[in-house]
């Protein structure tokens, strides 16, 4: 199983770009990297997913280096409503591969 | 319409009791899951079902028994509840058996065992 490490917490001011890095040294060949956002009293919500290089959507960007042993979630110009816990998830194509969540990064956005 | 709904939202019960949590998804997904989130916010997969068949059963006590009457429902029954079972339980679903399909989570059931 992939072992996942991410910072426990981060603080940022409104309007700044926030980068959260996830380490997954023993990621398997078939594993994808997915990020989720969780607000209090809600279930995690999908943000972005990638396999290699860079992926961008309307919410975030995901940077994955060639060795795929880490990934960085980039949130442009954060606002107070981006205060949440962000989870890195590594999982494979196979239905028998358990999905492993990181322990989450608590992002606090300050006005 | 809520895509993945769980009931109840809160469940307070005493040690030794048996309780069930229900989950339904209206997304037409083939795969459903149960996750446990402890007080430190760690999310751990417990079970995964694909088209009503169990495909993942992580190391959980056999007091926990999932049941999938059809592919839109995955219920979790817990026997002989213990203090350590207190947590938030999340149901989720995804399209197909491939784990690169994004997970859609319910809003959780907070179980408190006293």
């Amino acid at each position: 199983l992939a072992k996942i490490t991410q910072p426990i917490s981060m603080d940022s001011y409104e309007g700044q770009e926030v980068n959260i890095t996830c380490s997954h040294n023993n990621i398997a060949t078939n594993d994808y990297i997915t990020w989720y956002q969780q607000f209090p009293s809600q279930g995690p919500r999908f943000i972005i997913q990638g396999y290699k290089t860079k992926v961008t959507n309307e919410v975030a960007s995901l940077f994955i280096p060639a060795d795929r042993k880490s990934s960085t979630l980039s949130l442009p110009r954060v606002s107070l409503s981006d205060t949440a816990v962000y989870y890195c998830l590594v999982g494979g194509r196979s239905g028998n591969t358990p999905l492993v969540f990181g322990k989450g990064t608590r992002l606090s956005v300050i006005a | 319409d809520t895509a993945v709904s769980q009931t109840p939202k809160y469940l307070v019960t005493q040690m030794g009791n048996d309780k069930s949590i229900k989950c339904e998804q209206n997304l037409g997904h083939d795969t459903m899951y149960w996750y446990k989130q402890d007080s430190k916010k760690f999310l751990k997969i417990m079970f995964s079902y694909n088209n009503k068949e169990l495909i993942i059963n992580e190391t959980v006590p056999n007091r926990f028994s999932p049941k999938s009457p059809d592919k839109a429902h995955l219920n979790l029954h817990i026997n002989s509840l213990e203090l350590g079972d207190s947590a938030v339980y999340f149901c989720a679903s995804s399209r197909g058996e491939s784990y690169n399909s994004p997970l859609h989570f319910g809003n959780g059931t907070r179980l408190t065992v006293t």
Side-chain angles (χ1 to χ4, degrees):
Chain A
L1 296 179
K3 184 181 177 191
I4 298 172
T5 305
Q6 51 182 125
I8 294 173
S9 64
M10 296 180 71
D11 293 333
S12 176
Y13 287 102
E14 273 192 298
Q16 289 188 327
E17 178 184 80
V18 171
N19 296 310
I20 306 174
T21 296
C22 180
S23 171
H24 27 79
N25 286 328
N26 58 341
I27 187 170
T29 303
N30 287 338
D31 284 347
Y32 276 68
I33 300 150
T34 314
W35 285 81
Y36 287 81
Q37 175 191 56
Q38 186 179 26
F39 297 114
S41 300
Q42 293 185 22
R45 186 180 68 159
F46 171 84
I47 302 175
I48 197 166
Q49 183 182 72
Y51 184 78
K52 60 181 178 180
T53 64
K54 177 184 174 182
V55 179
T56 297
N57 62 21
E58 64 278 5
V59 176
S61 294
L62 179 59
F63 299 92
I64 306 169
D67 65 6
R68 301 196 336 116
K69 293 185 177 182
S70 66
S71 57
T72 299
L73 173 73
S74 181
L75 304 171
R77 296 181 300 281
V78 294
S79 64
L80 294 176
S81 62
D82 293 317
T83 295
V85 179
Y86 292 82
Y87 291 95
C88 173
L89 172 65
V90 175
R93 294 177 189 266
S94 167
N96 292 325
T97 304
L99 296 167
V100 181
F101 273 88
K103 293 180 179 176
T105 298
R106 183 176 299 277
L107 172 65
S108 298
V109 180
I110 308 161
Chain B
D1 282 345
T2 305
V4 180
S5 59
Q6 312 177 212
T7 54
K9 187 172 176 64
Y10 299 96
L11 186 53
V12 180
T13 188
Q14 291 183 326
M15 285 175 57
N17 285 348
D18 303 339
K19 290 292 178 186
S20 292
I21 306 172
K22 295 186 176 181
C23 179
E24 175 182 4
Q25 55 95 4
N26 63 5
L27 297 166
H29 287 167
D30 292 322
T31 308
M32 295 185 71
Y33 313 79
W34 278 107
Y35 279 83
K36 180 180 179 181
Q37 186 170 48
D38 62 21
S39 58
K40 295 183 179 178
K41 303 294 187 186
F42 300 157
L43 271 162
K44 281 193 64 175
I45 189 167
M46 300 173 69
F47 302 101
S48 170
Y49 268 74
N50 180 265
N51 276 321
K52 302 194 303 174
E53 286 191 25
L54 180 66
I55 54 173
I56 285 181
N57 182 355
E58 286 298 290
T59 306
V60 297
N62 57 15
R63 298 181 293 103
F64 290 79
S65 54
K67 286 190 172 46
S68 182
D70 55 61
K71 74 174 193 176
H73 295 83
L74 181 63
N75 303 323
L76 183 65
H77 189 76
I78 315 169
N79 289 329
S80 303
L81 278 155
E82 300 177 358
L83 292 176
D85 298 331
S86 295
V88 181
Y89 292 84
F90 286 100
C91 177
S93 71
S94 68
R95 180 168 42 89
E97 197 173 330
S98 168
Y99 284 118
N100 59 331
S101 299
L103 297 167
H104 294 255
F105 284 86
N107 282 331
T109 296
R110 182 175 294 277
L111 171 65
T112 303
V113 182
T114 61

